[in-house]
Amino acid sequence: NHIFFKIAGKEVFRSKTIPKNLNPVWDEGVSLMLESLRDPLYVKVFDYDFGFQDDFMGSAYLYLESLEYRRTLDVTLELKDPQYPEDNLGSLELSVTLSPKEGDVRDATMLLRRNWKRSSKQHQSMRLSDVHRKSQLWRGIVSISLIEGRDLQPMDANGLSDPYVKFRMGHQKYKSKTISKTLNPQWREQFDFHLYDEQGGFVDITVWDKDAGKKDDFLGRCTIDLSLLSKEQTHKVDLALEEGEGVLVLLVTLTASAAVSISDLSVNMLDDPHERHQIMQRYSVWRSLHNLKDVGVVQVKVIRAEGLMAADVTGKSDPFCVVELSNDRLQTHTVYKNLNPEWNKVFTFNVKDIHSVLEVTVYDEDRDRSADFLGKVAIPLLNIQNGERKAYVLKSKELTGPTKGVIFLEIDVIFNAVKAGLRTLIPIEQKYIEEEPRVSKQLLLGNFNRVKRCIMFLINTGCYINSCFEWESPQRSICAFVLFVIVVWNFELYLIPLALLLPLAWNYILLVSGKDTRQDVVSNLIDSERKGFMNKLYAIQDVCISVQNALDEVASYGERIKNTFNWTVPFLSWLAIVALGVATTIIYFIPLRYIVLAWGVNKFTKKLRNPYAIDNNELLDFLSRVPSNVQVVGELCTFIFVSSFRTKNRKT
């Protein structure tokens, strides 16, 4: 079971899921920012079904006007189904306290009266008030480094566990990687949470043992009380696991920040020449070593949208816009009954990674269920042209094709190149845990085609190099031979990065000259999307066969290498000993430069000396004689059958 809380049609909280229980106890708390007591709190209870639509279990309304200030009330809500009002669907028990955000009760009451006097239309347009806006902004960052675990509880038959850790703070969730077969795991992972409450909060931590094919085992839980930790300081925390055994070792740092903001179009910092100059100075090259985590700042002006999809039966939509950068998320107000909304909002984010992607998504607000998707755009920060007001075509959730409508944005990115370069060498910030990935035939086909194109590129490159040895083009072979001799004879280590610079320079020249090879990639993806259903079905069948054969090929060569050293075929193992001994002697007495040069001269002159010679690879030819495990088992079964048959004949 889990619960949705809504106010004025917008979801404001979602509880955790309690599995397999008709009398669930959530024991969760949440603080909600209210603009008015006029809209009741709408509560809906669902039964969670993995992979299917959740089942509705009842709903109820809590009328906030009936509550008293600064008094905690225990409220029982009877759950009902509007279609079957006579059915008894159980009840929900809440403990509710109504408190003014600031000022005394009299001030809050006056605010309430002013809200009562507003017209309905004005009330809808002002839904994103200052109070509601503050509820979206975070006050700081909680950085948690998961170091290790000690003496965890063994849960598997081998006396060990496969532990991983889950973190939760409000709606923010993370999950660590799984460390196999250990009671003292070393994670060395970092997770960043956004701190919304100025007084701190709690981070709930649970430890689990990963079990394939069945439910994971619970190893224990612990909690971090952030209000007990001082800010701007790293704390080493050893937490003993409750309901389990062992200890978790963490490093916790609380950092104050004002990294995100939202304002009207008339109030934005980059339009003020003085503030823009200060920001440019802040991210100048001369301040590259100051606060390395502060890479830059991005300002997004969400102007308007045109020609949106009609999501309601009236032929209109109630669109609002969500802007995301990594784990930072802000949204505009809702413009009701409009397909050409104007938001005129300015969003400001701190850039922690210049390689992040700015995502702008348009939704249709729906009072009875979750918001409907209307379209999105994803813009890499490095592709943004500062100060250019541009119309972006809205795309599907997967960004594979266009949907209806465009959105007008104006984006500015100011960053420090040195900090951005250093940040590139640090792991990417993980996003909050999303839905578990599901099997997709179309995704499988697309990924296989991507791998196939990479392999074909390597094969074509190998064929091109091999054509130099075959003297298909005498001019090309002569140039390749001369280049090979010069490089091998004068080889130094600095030639390796120099050689890698050559394809970069060559592709840059093609890009500048207008021959952009990246368009081929786009056209290939579009062609794969346009395939018909039957073509995709046959392609998936070919994919399965190809993957099956490739896995067999890789596994067979791996097993043959192992069986060479396992003395599965003694003759081949002795032959390997002789070959390795000769190779060791040659490399010891002859410089490697001469060996490579002799090998290259032999390859280049082989076709000249013997035009009918068949090209071969001696190592692969040797491994083809070593049996794989499948062949060994087959030979063993045949041997057992023959031996058994001979024994029976002797008895006869």
Side-chain angles (χ1 to χ4, degrees):
N1 305 318
H2 57 258
I3 307 176
F4 293 85
F5 292 83
K6 290 186 175 183
I7 295 178
K10 296 294 292 291
E11 182 182 321
V12 292
F13 178 69
R14 180 182 300 186
S15 74
K16 63 185 178 183
T17 302
I18 306 296
K20 300 179 181 179
N21 201 323
L22 296 179
N23 300 286
V25 178
W26 284 278
D27 193 20
E28 288 187 271
V30 61
S31 297
L32 304 177
M33 295 289 186
L34 304 178
E35 181 182 358
S36 168
L37 301 183
R38 204 173 161 184
D39 296 315
L41 179 66
Y42 184 42
V43 184
K44 298 177 74 173
V45 183
F46 288 89
D47 169 52
Y48 174 72
D49 284 334
F50 179 77
F52 300 93
Q53 185 175 0
D54 296 348
D55 298 322
F56 176 73
M57 299 182 65
S59 64
Y61 286 93
L62 174 62
Y63 294 94
L64 305 176
E65 299 163 296
S66 62
L67 303 177
E68 299 180 24
Y69 284 102
R70 294 197 178 95
R71 181 180 177 185
T72 301
L73 296 177
D74 294 329
V75 181
T76 301
L77 301 178
E78 298 294 332
L79 297 175
K80 296 293 182 181
D81 187 343
Q83 296 183 356
Y84 306 97
E86 302 299 326
D87 292 353
N88 181 14
L89 301 180
S91 62
L92 191 66
E93 295 183 3
L94 305 174
S95 180
V96 185
T97 306
L98 183 64
S99 302
K101 174 62 179 175
E102 53 188 14
D104 54 15
V105 176
R106 181 181 59 189
D107 294 335
T109 305
M110 290 175 62
L111 176 62
L112 174 60
R113 288 173 182 168
R114 286 198 300 272
N115 288 336
W116 270 98
K117 292 180 181 179
R118 290 177 183 171
S119 66
S120 175
K121 184 176 180 180
Q122 184 182 7
H123 172 68
Q124 289 176 346
S125 65
M126 293 296 292
R127 180 148 309 169
L128 191 67
S129 66
D130 290 338
V131 174
H132 208 141
R133 186 181 303 133
K134 288 179 181 178
S135 68
Q136 298 187 65
L137 306 185
W138 42 278
R139 314 297 185 191
I141 299 174
V142 182
S143 179
I144 298 179
S145 297
L146 176 60
I147 305 301
E148 63 182 2
R150 299 173 185 164
D151 304 323
L152 300 183
Q153 184 176 354
M155 301 299 293
D156 297 337
N158 57 7
L160 301 172
S161 294
D162 305 316
Y164 67 90
V165 181
K166 289 183 178 180
F167 297 88
R168 176 171 180 161
M169 189 175 78
H171 69 281
Q172 305 172 70
K173 302 176 184 178
Y174 282 114
K175 177 181 176 182
S176 75
K177 62 186 177 183
T178 301
I179 307 298
S180 301
K181 299 179 181 179
T182 181
L183 299 180
N184 300 284
Q186 300 284 326
W187 282 287
R188 301 294 195 271
E189 291 185 83
Q190 180 176 331
F191 309 95
D192 289 335
F193 293 89
H194 291 162
L195 186 62
Y196 292 89
D197 190 353
E198 294 178 352
Q199 282 71 40
F202 294 90
V203 180
D204 297 319
I205 305 171
T206 54
V207 187
W208 301 82
D209 168 56
K210 183 72 175 179
D211 285 330
K214 60 180 181 178
K215 186 177 180 181
D216 295 346
D217 298 319
F218 178 72
L219 294 180
R221 71 172 69 248
C222 54
T223 303
I224 303 176
D225 186 354
L226 300 177
S227 63
L228 303 178
L229 304 179
S230 58
K231 294 184 178 180
E232 309 299 336
Q233 183 179 348
T234 299
H235 306 267
K236 182 181 179 182
V237 183
D238 293 355
L239 297 175
L241 295 178
E242 302 173 4
E243 306 176 35
E245 301 175 3
V247 175
L248 283 185
V249 181
L250 309 170
L251 296 179
V252 184
T253 306
L254 275 67
T255 305
S257 178
V260 294
S261 68
I262 179 174
S263 64
D264 293 326
L265 192 61
S266 59
V267 182
N268 63 88
M269 59 183 183
L270 293 183
D271 282 355
D272 185 345
H274 178 67
E275 289 195 25
R276 189 181 187 95
H277 177 72
Q278 287 185 333
I279 293 173
M280 295 292 290
Q281 290 295 321
R282 177 180 171 186
Y283 297 109
S284 64
V285 179
W286 310 110
R287 295 175 60 85
S288 298
L289 300 180
H290 178 73
N291 191 4
L292 293 178
K293 291 185 178 181
D294 186 14
V295 174
V297 64
V298 57
Q299 178 180 276
V300 185
K301 295 180 183 178
V302 181
I303 313 297
R304 69 183 190 275
E306 292 182 358
L308 296 180
M309 186 188 307
D312 300 336
V313 293
T314 60
K316 300 290 184 179
S317 293
D318 303 323
F320 65 94
C321 190
V322 175
V323 184
E324 297 177 87
L325 183 66
S326 297
N327 286 317
D328 301 337
R329 186 178 189 272
L330 293 175
Q331 72 180 52
T332 67
H333 60 284
T334 302
V335 179
Y336 292 92
K337 294 180 173 54
N338 202 320
L339 298 180
N340 303 291
E342 290 192 13
W343 292 289
N344 293 323
K345 293 294 178 183
V346 180
F347 300 90
T348 305
F349 300 92
N350 266 21
V351 178
K352 292 175 285 186
D353 189 346
I354 196 59
H355 306 284
S356 301
V357 177
L358 180 72
E359 295 184 358
V360 183
T361 311
V362 182
Y363 294 96
D364 168 65
E365 181 182 304
D366 200 318
R367 292 179 177 271
D368 298 327
R369 56 182 185 273
S370 59
D372 296 324
F373 175 84
L374 297 180
K376 73 181 295 186
V377 293
I379 312 164
L381 295 184
L382 288 173
N383 292 352
I384 292 172
Q385 296 180 358
N386 286 349
E388 180 184 13
R389 183 168 296 189
K390 190 175 179 181
Y392 294 88
V393 178
L394 294 174
K395 297 184 178 180
S396 62
K397 287 184 179 180
E398 298 79 15
L399 301 172
T400 55
T403 60
K404 194 174 181 181
V406 296
I407 186 169
F408 290 84
L409 306 173
E410 183 178 326
I411 311 173
D412 284 272
V413 180
I414 299 174
F415 67 97
N416 181 286
V418 176
K419 293 181 183 179
L422 294 175
R423 182 62 180 80
T424 305
L425 307 177
I426 301 175
I428 298 175
E429 178 185 0
Q430 297 183 5
K431 296 200 73 172
Y432 303 147
I433 291 181
E434 301 174 350
E435 296 180 0
E436 293 291 334
R438 300 179 182 179
V439 176
S440 170
K441 296 178 181 178
Q442 186 172 351
L443 186 61
L444 174 64
L445 178 59
N447 290 340
F448 178 80
N449 288 332
R450 289 163 57 197
V451 174
K452 184 178 179 180
R453 282 192 289 270
C454 294
I455 294 175
M456 290 305 299
F457 172 77
L458 296 177
I459 292 176
N460 291 335
T461 303
C463 291
Y464 182 84
I465 295 173
N466 190 64
S467 67
C468 297
F469 300 137
E470 298 291 331
W471 292 84
E472 295 177 1
S473 171
Q475 294 178 345
R476 187 172 62 198
S477 297
I478 292 173
C479 292
F481 178 71
V482 172
L483 180 64
F484 172 79
V485 173
I486 294 174
V487 170
V488 172
W489 186 259
N490 300 281
F491 179 78
E492 299 292 343
L493 283 177
Y494 70 84
L495 292 177
I496 296 178
L498 180 62
L500 296 177
L501 286 174
L502 295 178
L504 287 170
W506 174 252
N507 286 318
Y508 180 76
I509 293 172
L510 292 179
L511 184 63
V512 171
S513 62
K515 300 177 181 179
D516 191 355
T517 57
R518 295 174 298 178
Q519 297 299 328
D520 298 337
V521 177
V522 177
S523 61
N524 288 333
L525 290 176
I526 293 176
D527 292 340
S528 63
E529 289 290 330
R530 290 176 178 172
K531 286 184 178 179
F533 174 76
M534 293 304 298
N535 289 336
K536 288 183 179 179
L537 191 62
Y538 291 135
I540 291 170
Q541 182 178 355
D542 294 338
V543 166
C544 295
I545 295 174
S546 300
V547 170
Q548 173 181 296
N549 295 336
L551 292 177
D552 176 65
E553 194 78 13
V554 172
S556 295
Y557 274 108
E559 291 168 354
R560 284 167 176 160
I561 294 173
K562 183 190 69 173
N563 291 339
T564 301
F565 293 92
N566 283 350
W567 292 82
T568 302
V569 180
F571 176 81
L572 294 175
S573 298
W574 280 114
L575 186 59
I577 289 176
V578 173
L580 291 174
V582 172
T584 303
T585 304
I586 292 175
I587 295 174
Y588 181 80
F589 287 103
I590 303 176
L592 184 61
R593 189 191 311 271
Y594 298 143
I595 297 174
V596 175
L597 195 60
W599 172 85
V601 171
N602 176 65
K603 290 288 290 184
F604 273 103
T605 60
K606 190 173 184 179
K607 275 292 181 181
L608 297 177
R609 290 183 281 111
N610 185 3
Y612 303 104
I614 299 175
D615 191 30
N616 67 311
N617 186 299
E618 291 79 7
L619 179 60
L620 294 181
D621 292 338
F622 172 83
L623 290 177
S624 65
R625 267 67 170 189
V626 182
S628 64
N629 287 355
V630 175
Q631 294 171 326
V632 170
V633 171
E635 293 172 359
L636 183 61
C637 291
T638 303
F639 174 76
I640 294 174
F641 174 77
V642 171
S643 300
S644 175
F645 180 75
R646 289 177 177 175
T647 303
K648 288 182 180 179
N649 285 342
R650 288 196 189 101
K651 290 181 179 179
T652 303

